[in-house]
């Protein structure tokens, strides 16, 4: 029995160090401090329901599902946790808040703040906080504060915080997070803007927050007061749908009829390598298009026969009253795995929609693809925000978000 335990411990150590090497090679870990935290915290103790190999895989571990089988709590993928910790730039002695518990990420934060710092983790689900408390204690992090509460209101009894890291997907940044942020503090939050989620590193600048960096990120949605579901308009049963993150009017029947019309295609001449990310293009289209939504389809051959978007989960789509056009791609060189961006469009105005979307793809390629990232600015809703050409203004519940490009 003792020999088996020693063998398991040795295997866990080896797997943990291999995971760190993978994260460093991929660029997810950039600092010695974050690398040391990942080498130290035993991730398998926070995911006891899966084998060691899965606990140290660079993937999420699902820990709770709702009655429909949808994941509502998980141990996040290590690469994303590493990226967000790098964004946060946590240092020794800091007071930190994690919104969305699981235990493992709070333990990593505890390693970064050291014995003179303090980490608080909060979640609305008692099952989640009970689990986090139990695993933190087992792993030797009993000093981490675990709070059961709706994080919409922050955790005032442990504020102010030098760093706030949000590990659930949110639609807005509530006022409590602003007021509980210490002077010179930083918030890292996966914010949903026009349906797209980006992990924003935000610092205060007068009466607003500004991004100092952002990364593509996806999390289970926040629960409680801050929850806000997207609106789904189905076009062909459950196989094809349009997702809306705002209240723009939609003529659903006209769009369903458009899907029945022959598909128009157009190609941009803009190419990319098979492993090259193109989330910058998606964000540019969300910024530049007024009538914007996301197309999704089921992962079936029947659904693909109807629409073939760049991403089956969420592809930028341009709307008209009775037509739509969306981003696609095709392989142009199998040997080099090179692909070309294009557009598929449906409706009586399909050709015009396709031309508009192609123009925006080319504009992104020419002016923004290799330039500086977009800048997010977040204002309290009470602060008037002027509408300036070239700046997308997105009103939310508590705030107004602007996106601008250099």
């Amino acid at each position: 029995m003792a020999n088996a335990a020693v063998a398991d411990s040795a295997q866990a150590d080896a797997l943990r160090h291999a995971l760190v090497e993978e994260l460093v090679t991929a660029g997810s870990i950039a600092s010695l401090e974050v690398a040391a935290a990942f080498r130290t915290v035993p991730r398998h103790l926070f995911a006891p329901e899966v084998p060691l190999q899965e606990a140290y895989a660079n993937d999420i571990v699902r820990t709770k599902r709702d009655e429909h089988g949808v994941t509502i709590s998980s141990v996040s993928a290590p690469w994303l946790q590493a990226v967000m910790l790098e964004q946060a730039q946590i240092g020794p002695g800091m007071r930190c808040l994690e919104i969305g518990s699981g235990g493992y990420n709070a333990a990593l934060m505890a390693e970064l703040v050291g014995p003179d710092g303090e980490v608080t983790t909060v979640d609305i689900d008692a099952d989640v906080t009970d689990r986090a408390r139990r695993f933190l204690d087992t792993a030797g992090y009993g000093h981490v504060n675990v709070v059961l509460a709706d994080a919409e209101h922050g955790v005032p009894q442990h504020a102010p915080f030098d760093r706030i890291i949000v590990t659930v997907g949110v639609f807005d940044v509530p006022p409590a997070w602003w007021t509980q942020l210490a002077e010179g503090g930083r918030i890292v939050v996966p914010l949903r803007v026009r349906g797209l989620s980006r992990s924003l590193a935000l610092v205060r600048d007068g009466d607003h927050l500004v991004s100092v960096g952002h990364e593509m990120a996806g999390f289970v949605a926040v629960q409680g007061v801050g929850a806000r579901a997207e609106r789904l308009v189905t076009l062909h049963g459950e196989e094809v749908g349009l997702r809306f993150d705002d209240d723009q009017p939609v003529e659903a029947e006209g769009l369903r009829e458009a899907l029945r019309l022959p598909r128009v295609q157009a190609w941009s001449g803009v190419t990319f390598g098979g492993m090259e990310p193109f989330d910058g293009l998606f964000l540019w289209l969300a910024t530049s298009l007024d009538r914007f939504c996301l197309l999704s389809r089921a992962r079936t051959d029947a659904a693909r026969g109807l629409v073939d978007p760049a991403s089956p989960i969420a592809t930028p789509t341009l709307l008209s009253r009775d037509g739509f056009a969306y981003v696609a791609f095709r392989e142009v060189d199998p040997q080099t795995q090179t692909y070309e961006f294009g557009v598929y469009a449906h409706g009586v105005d399909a050709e015009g929609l396709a031309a508009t979307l192609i123009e925006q793809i080319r504009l992104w390629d020419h002016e923004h693809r290799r330039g500086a990232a977009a800048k997010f600015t977040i204002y309290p809703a009470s602060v008037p925000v002027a509408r300036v050409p070239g700046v997308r203004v997105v009103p939310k519940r508590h705030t107004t978000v602007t996106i601008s490009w250099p």
Side-chain angles (χ1 to χ4, degrees):
M1 198 73 165
N3 289 339
V6 170
D8 284 349
S9 177
Q11 184 185 13
D13 289 346
L15 290 168
R16 186 161 59 253
H17 288 289
L19 174 61
V20 173
E21 293 306 313
E22 179 183 347
L23 296 175
V24 170
T25 300
S28 303
I29 290 179
S31 67
L32 294 175
E33 293 80 6
V34 172
F38 271 86
R39 290 189 193 280
T40 303
V41 179
R43 189 171 193 258
H44 64 283
L45 295 184
F46 297 90
E49 56 272 271
V50 300
L52 281 175
Q53 291 83 355
E54 291 185 33
Y56 287 103
N58 195 8
D59 199 357
I60 69 169
V61 176
R62 293 172 175 82
T63 57
K64 188 172 183 178
R65 301 174 188 264
D66 65 13
E67 65 274 17
H68 306 294
V70 176
T71 300
I72 58 174
S73 185
S74 67
V75 182
S76 300
W79 71 266
L80 182 50
Q81 290 174 312
V83 164
M84 294 180 73
L85 290 172
E86 294 287 4
Q87 286 183 299
Q89 297 184 1
I90 297 172
M94 288 187 176
R95 299 169 62 89
C96 299
L97 173 64
E98 179 196 35
I99 293 173
S101 293
Y104 177 62
N105 196 61
L108 293 170
M109 294 167 67
E111 287 291 333
L112 291 169
V113 301
D116 296 327
E118 182 177 88
V119 174
T120 298
T121 181
V122 59
D123 202 283
I124 197 172
D125 189 329
D127 290 341
V128 173
T129 53
D130 288 348
R131 173 189 173 97
R133 177 74 282 160
R134 185 168 67 254
F135 294 161
L136 283 163
D137 289 345
T138 300
Y141 298 93
H143 54 290
V144 171
N145 305 313
V146 179
V147 177
L148 174 64
D150 189 330
E152 179 83 358
H153 312 296
V155 186
Q157 65 268 34
H158 293 290
F161 302 104
D162 300 296
R163 298 291 186 267
I164 298 175
I165 298 183
V166 185
T167 59
V168 289
V170 300
F171 175 76
D172 205 354
V173 181
W177 302 357
W178 296 57
T179 58
Q180 293 174 27
L181 186 67
E183 187 69 27
R186 177 178 292 213
I187 299 177
V188 177
V189 54
L191 186 67
R192 197 177 81 224
V193 181
R194 306 207 88 190
L196 300 178
S197 178
R198 295 292 183 272
S199 176
L200 308 178
L202 300 166
V203 297
R204 199 191 308 270
D205 183 4
D207 63 357
H208 55 276
L209 300 171
V210 296
S211 66
V212 291
H214 55 84
E215 302 286 346
M216 192 172 179
F219 280 93
V220 297
V222 71
Q223 302 177 54
V225 175
R228 172 168 165 146
E230 292 177 298
R231 180 168 47 124
L232 177 66
V233 174
T234 57
L235 301 187
H236 193 276
E238 299 299 316
E239 292 184 308
V240 180
L242 297 175
R243 293 163 42 191
F244 294 85
D245 208 23
D246 54 27
D247 299 322
Q248 64 176 293
V250 178
E251 297 289 340
E253 284 305 319
L255 297 174
R256 291 176 186 133
E257 179 60 32
L259 183 59
R260 301 185 189 103
L261 297 177
R263 183 166 72 187
V264 169
Q265 59 180 299
W267 299 97
S268 66
V270 177
T271 60
F272 66 99
M275 298 301 293
E276 181 184 352
F278 45 83
D279 52 294
L281 170 62
F282 283 20
L283 184 59
W284 167 252
L285 295 175
T287 306
S288 62
L289 301 175
D290 290 332
R291 297 217 59 194
F292 175 87
C293 66
L294 297 170
L295 175 71
S296 61
R297 69 161 176 85
R299 296 180 183 271
T300 63
D301 290 340
R304 186 171 185 176
L306 294 166
V307 293
D308 192 13
S311 165
I313 300 172
T315 291
T317 301
L318 171 64
L319 288 181
S320 67
R321 180 181 176 86
D322 51 8
F324 62 95
Y326 60 90
V327 179
F329 60 79
R330 63 181 178 183
E331 190 174 49
V332 293
D333 189 336
Q335 288 189 327
T336 60
Q337 291 188 313
T338 301
Y339 299 81
E340 179 186 9
F341 287 116
V343 172
Y344 291 141
H346 296 262
V348 294
D349 54 350
E351 291 187 2
L353 289 170
T356 298
L357 200 46
I358 286 291
E359 180 184 8
Q360 290 301 324
I361 292 172
R362 290 171 176 162
L363 187 60
W364 165 77
D365 178 59
H366 185 260
E367 296 189 5
H368 302 293
R369 183 175 186 174
R370 298 164 187 84
K375 178 182 177 182
F376 289 77
T377 306
I378 303 179
Y379 300 88
S382 59
V383 174
V385 176
R387 294 186 178 269
V388 179
V391 176
R392 174 60 55 181
V393 178
V394 183
K396 291 182 173 286
R397 183 181 298 161
H398 303 298
T399 66
T400 302
V401 179
T402 67
I403 311 172
S404 59
W405 295 75

